Amino acid sequence: MPAAIENRQRRVRVETPRVARAAARALAAVGRPSSLVEIALVDDTEIRRLNARYRGIGRRTDVLAFPLETADAALPLLGQIVISAEAARRQARKVGVPLALELDLLVTHGTLHLVGYDDRDPVEADFMHRRERDILAGAPARLWKGLLPHE
Protein backbone atom coordinates (compact mmCIF):
# COMPACT_ATOMS: atom_id res chain seq x y z
CA MET A 1 0.00 0.00 0.00
CA PRO A 2 1.70 3.23 -1.16
CA ALA A 3 -0.60 5.55 0.79
CA ALA A 4 -2.23 5.59 4.18
CA ILE A 5 -5.10 8.05 3.91
CA GLU A 6 -6.91 9.74 6.75
CA ASN A 7 -9.93 11.87 5.89
CA ARG A 8 -10.17 14.33 8.80
CA GLN A 9 -12.79 16.59 7.23
CA ARG A 10 -16.44 16.14 6.36
CA ARG A 11 -17.30 19.08 4.11
CA VAL A 12 -15.97 17.71 0.82
CA ARG A 13 -16.66 14.22 -0.50
CA VAL A 14 -13.34 12.65 -1.49
CA GLU A 15 -12.73 9.38 -3.32
CA THR A 16 -9.92 8.03 -1.14
CA PRO A 17 -9.13 5.05 -3.43
CA ARG A 18 -8.37 7.52 -6.23
CA VAL A 19 -6.14 9.54 -3.89
CA ALA A 20 -4.24 6.33 -3.13
CA ARG A 21 -3.84 5.59 -6.85
CA ALA A 22 -2.51 9.12 -7.42
CA ALA A 23 0.07 8.56 -4.70
CA ALA A 24 1.11 5.22 -6.21
CA ARG A 25 1.51 6.81 -9.65
CA ALA A 26 3.58 9.70 -8.27
CA LEU A 27 5.79 7.41 -6.19
CA ALA A 28 6.44 5.16 -9.18
CA ALA A 29 7.26 8.19 -11.34
CA VAL A 30 9.92 9.39 -8.89
CA GLY A 31 11.45 5.93 -8.61
CA ARG A 32 10.06 5.17 -5.15
CA PRO A 33 7.26 2.63 -5.79
CA SER A 34 7.84 0.75 -2.53
CA SER A 35 7.74 3.87 -0.36
CA LEU A 36 4.78 4.87 1.74
CA VAL A 37 3.20 8.29 2.14
CA GLU A 38 0.66 9.29 4.74
CA ILE A 39 -2.00 11.63 3.39
CA ALA A 40 -4.31 13.65 5.62
CA LEU A 41 -7.32 15.35 4.08
CA VAL A 42 -8.25 18.31 6.24
CA ASP A 43 -10.35 21.48 6.16
CA ASP A 44 -9.13 25.06 5.67
CA THR A 45 -8.99 25.73 9.41
CA GLU A 46 -6.69 22.80 10.06
CA ILE A 47 -4.34 23.52 7.16
CA ARG A 48 -4.12 27.18 8.20
CA ARG A 49 -3.15 26.08 11.72
CA LEU A 50 -0.50 23.68 10.39
CA ASN A 51 0.87 26.26 7.95
CA ALA A 52 1.25 28.76 10.81
CA ARG A 53 2.82 26.22 13.14
CA TYR A 54 5.32 24.63 10.77
CA ARG A 55 6.01 27.36 8.22
CA GLY A 56 5.23 30.51 10.17
CA ILE A 57 2.68 31.55 7.55
CA GLY A 58 -0.69 32.42 9.07
CA ARG A 59 -2.88 31.74 6.06
CA ARG A 60 -4.44 28.73 4.44
CA THR A 61 -2.75 26.80 1.67
CA ASP A 62 -3.72 23.83 -0.46
CA VAL A 63 -1.02 21.30 0.35
CA LEU A 64 1.80 20.82 2.87
CA ALA A 65 4.49 18.16 2.68
CA PHE A 66 6.60 16.88 5.55
CA PRO A 67 9.55 14.66 4.52
CA LEU A 68 10.11 11.95 7.11
CA GLU A 69 12.33 9.45 5.37
CA THR A 70 14.54 7.50 7.74
CA ALA A 71 17.50 5.20 7.25
CA ASP A 72 15.38 2.31 8.59
CA ALA A 73 14.70 0.21 5.49
CA ALA A 74 11.95 -1.69 7.35
CA LEU A 75 9.96 1.55 7.51
CA PRO A 76 9.71 2.93 3.97
CA LEU A 77 7.81 6.03 5.09
CA LEU A 78 8.74 8.85 2.75
CA GLY A 79 6.67 11.48 4.53
CA GLN A 80 3.32 13.06 5.14
CA ILE A 81 1.16 15.12 2.81
CA VAL A 82 -1.64 17.29 4.16
CA ILE A 83 -4.26 18.52 1.71
CA SER A 84 -7.09 20.96 2.28
CA ALA A 85 -10.09 19.35 0.62
CA GLU A 86 -11.86 22.72 0.68
CA ALA A 87 -8.97 24.40 -1.16
CA ALA A 88 -8.92 21.55 -3.67
CA ARG A 89 -12.63 22.01 -4.34
CA ARG A 90 -12.23 25.79 -4.81
CA GLN A 91 -9.27 25.36 -7.14
CA ALA A 92 -11.03 22.67 -9.18
CA ARG A 93 -14.04 24.92 -9.68
CA LYS A 94 -11.83 27.90 -10.57
CA VAL A 95 -10.04 26.10 -13.41
CA GLY A 96 -12.99 23.92 -14.45
CA VAL A 97 -11.71 20.44 -13.65
CA PRO A 98 -13.17 17.64 -11.53
CA LEU A 99 -12.23 17.66 -7.86
CA ALA A 100 -10.61 14.24 -8.28
CA LEU A 101 -8.20 15.64 -10.87
CA GLU A 102 -7.25 18.57 -8.64
CA LEU A 103 -6.57 16.10 -5.84
CA ASP A 104 -4.38 14.06 -8.22
CA LEU A 105 -2.34 17.23 -8.79
CA LEU A 106 -2.04 18.05 -5.09
CA VAL A 107 -0.96 14.50 -4.22
CA THR A 108 1.60 14.60 -7.03
CA HIS A 109 2.81 18.05 -5.95
CA GLY A 110 3.16 16.91 -2.34
CA THR A 111 5.02 13.76 -3.37
CA LEU A 112 7.48 15.81 -5.43
CA HIS A 113 8.12 17.99 -2.38
CA LEU A 114 8.84 14.85 -0.33
CA VAL A 115 11.61 13.81 -2.73
CA GLY A 116 13.22 17.25 -2.80
CA TYR A 117 11.46 19.35 -5.42
CA ASP A 118 10.93 22.96 -4.42
CA ASP A 119 8.70 25.63 -5.92
CA ARG A 120 9.81 28.76 -4.05
CA ASP A 121 12.16 29.83 -6.85
CA PRO A 122 10.44 30.55 -10.21
CA VAL A 123 12.88 28.42 -12.20
CA GLU A 124 12.50 25.48 -9.82
CA ALA A 125 8.72 25.96 -9.77
CA ASP A 126 8.65 25.74 -13.55
CA PHE A 127 10.71 22.53 -13.40
CA MET A 128 8.41 21.09 -10.72
CA HIS A 129 5.23 21.89 -12.67
CA ARG A 130 6.72 20.34 -15.81
CA ARG A 131 7.40 17.17 -13.83
CA GLU A 132 3.79 17.19 -12.59
CA ARG A 133 2.61 17.44 -16.20
CA ASP A 134 4.75 14.44 -17.11
CA ILE A 135 3.30 12.40 -14.24
CA LEU A 136 -0.27 13.50 -14.97
CA ALA A 137 0.05 13.05 -18.74
CA GLY A 138 -3.24 13.64 -20.45
CA ALA A 139 -4.57 16.06 -17.84
CA PRO A 140 -5.90 19.29 -19.35
CA ALA A 141 -3.45 22.20 -19.35
CA ARG A 142 -5.97 24.35 -17.46
CA LEU A 143 -5.19 22.26 -14.37
CA TRP A 144 -2.02 24.34 -14.01
CA LYS A 145 -3.68 27.67 -14.90
CA GLY A 146 -2.36 30.47 -12.72
CA LEU A 147 0.37 28.41 -11.05
CA LEU A 148 3.19 30.05 -12.95
CA PRO A 149 3.60 33.76 -13.68
CA HIS A 150 3.95 33.28 -17.45
CA GLU A 151 0.72 31.29 -17.80
Side-chain angles (χ1 to χ4, degrees), residues 92-111:
R93 286 177 178 164
K94 182 178 179 180
V95 298
V97 299
L99 171 63
L101 187 55
E102 180 68 24
L103 288 168
D104 288 351
L105 173 60
L106 294 176
V107 168
T108 301
H109 188 83
T111 301

Side-chain angles (χ1 to χ4, degrees), residues 1-3 23-37 76 78 111 115:
M1 173 184 0
R25 180 177 49 243
L27 288 166
V30 297
R32 304 297 299 273
S34 61
S35 293
L36 170 70
V37 293
L78 189 59
T111 301
V115 297

Side-chain angles (χ1 to χ4, degrees), residues 14 21 23 25 37 41 62 64 69 72 89 94 98 100-101 105-106 109 112 114 126 129 135 142 147:
V14 175
R21 288 191 302 274
R25 180 177 49 243
V37 293
L41 299 160
D62 53 1
L64 294 169
E69 189 168 37
D72 183 1
R89 181 174 58 192
K94 182 178 179 180
L101 187 55
L105 173 60
L106 294 176
H109 188 83
L112 290 174
L114 293 180
D126 184 61
H129 292 306
I135 294 169
R142 68 181 177 274
L147 294 180

Side-chain angles (χ1 to χ4, degrees), residues 42-106:
V42 301
D43 60 22
D44 281 343
T45 301
E46 177 71 5
I47 206 152
R48 178 183 292 122
R49 185 185 68 75
L50 292 169
N51 203 24
R53 180 175 180 186
Y54 292 103
R55 296 182 62 222
I57 300 172
R59 62 178 168 79
R60 66 185 184 210
T61 188
D62 53 1
V63 62
L64 294 169
F66 301 96
L68 299 172
E69 189 168 37
T70 65
D72 183 1
L75 181 66
L77 180 60
L78 189 59
Q80 297 175 331
I81 299 170
V82 181
I83 297 171
S84 169
E86 290 174 293
R89 181 174 58 192
R90 274 192 309 279
Q91 291 168 185
R93 286 177 178 164
K94 182 178 179 180
V95 298
V97 299
L99 171 63
L101 187 55
E102 180 68 24
L103 288 168
D104 288 351
L105 173 60
L106 294 176

